[in-house]
Amino acid sequence: APLPGVAPQAASPGAGQPGPSTGQPLPPRGGASALPQAPGATVPDKPVMQGSLPSPEEVYTKALNDYHKGNYDLAISGFKSYLTFYPKTSLVPNSQYWLGESYYSQRKYREAIREFDKLIKEYPDSAKVPAAMLKQGNAYLELNEKAQGKRVLQELKTKFPNSGDARRAQDILQGLQ
């Protein structure tokens, strides 16, 4: 007699559904155990993240090494991190330049043009500006936007006439004629 009485209760859909549908017995136990766990789970994460934040030089050097190894996605991520977390440091213009170079190396010319443009406009005194203008002009040419490419290369020659980049721009312009 006990076995038939147990089996119908466990298998009875009517007996099993009211408990979960009302949810009254479970939330107090689940809620009570979940509340202490949530703060406990987040507290250890904060010190670990803060303690592992690398120096600006480490981020820049790693990103530049990734660029030179041809790991352009990693380089892009590294330079973007540098620009985000260390926006007031001396290597910001260089990071901006190498971000553009990384996109250029991936043949993502629109992105390269945009990043070089940020460098040219935001850091006009940077030593990287002539090289950025040369690459920006080349990126336009790669996109078959010759008028825009020529304009940038001519501007490079005008602004930085004695630079090696201006001489390279002159050679490119002569090749286009």
Side-chain angles (χ1 to χ4, degrees):
L3 288 175
V6 172
Q9 288 175 355
S12 169
Q17 287 177 358
S21 68
T22 59
Q24 291 176 358
L26 295 176
R29 284 195 299 256
S33 63
L35 289 176
Q37 288 174 353
T42 56
V43 171
D45 290 344
K46 288 180 184 177
V48 171
M49 289 176 66
Q50 289 172 352
S52 65
L53 195 63
S55 73
E57 294 77 16
E58 289 173 308
V59 175
Y60 178 83
T61 301
K62 180 168 180 0
L64 192 57
N65 286 339
D66 285 330
Y67 170 82
H68 288 301
K69 290 177 186 173
N71 298 329
Y72 302 121
D73 286 333
L74 289 174
I76 288 167
S77 176
F79 290 122
K80 282 183 174 181
S81 292
Y82 187 94
L83 293 167
T84 300
F85 294 111
Y86 308 107
K88 303 287 186 201
T89 56
S90 62
L91 291 173
V92 166
N94 285 16
S95 293
Q96 189 66 54
Y97 172 79
W98 288 109
L99 180 56
E101 278 281 4
S102 298
Y103 281 122
Y104 188 93
S105 295
Q106 290 184 323
R107 304 177 67 84
K108 293 180 178 176
Y109 299 119
R110 290 265 175 241
E111 291 89 340
I113 289 167
R114 183 186 66 235
E115 299 305 334
F116 288 133
D117 204 47
K118 284 182 191 174
L119 172 70
I120 294 163
K121 288 180 177 165
E122 294 176 23
Y123 307 97
D125 297 330
S126 169
K128 292 287 189 190
V129 168
M133 291 178 77
L134 181 66
K135 283 292 183 145
Q136 189 179 50
N138 282 332
Y140 279 118
L141 295 176
E142 290 287 350
L143 292 168
N144 209 24
E145 296 178 17
K146 289 191 172 129
Q148 189 71 353
K150 286 180 181 180
R151 185 194 62 74
V152 172
L153 295 174
Q154 287 289 358
E155 187 180 346
L156 167 57
K157 285 176 42 185
T158 303
K159 285 186 174 180
F160 305 97
N162 299 322
S163 70
D165 294 307
R167 287 189 288 281
R168 286 188 278 289
Q170 177 60 39
D171 292 343
I172 293 166
L173 288 167
Q174 284 176 345
L176 291 173
Q177 294 174 356

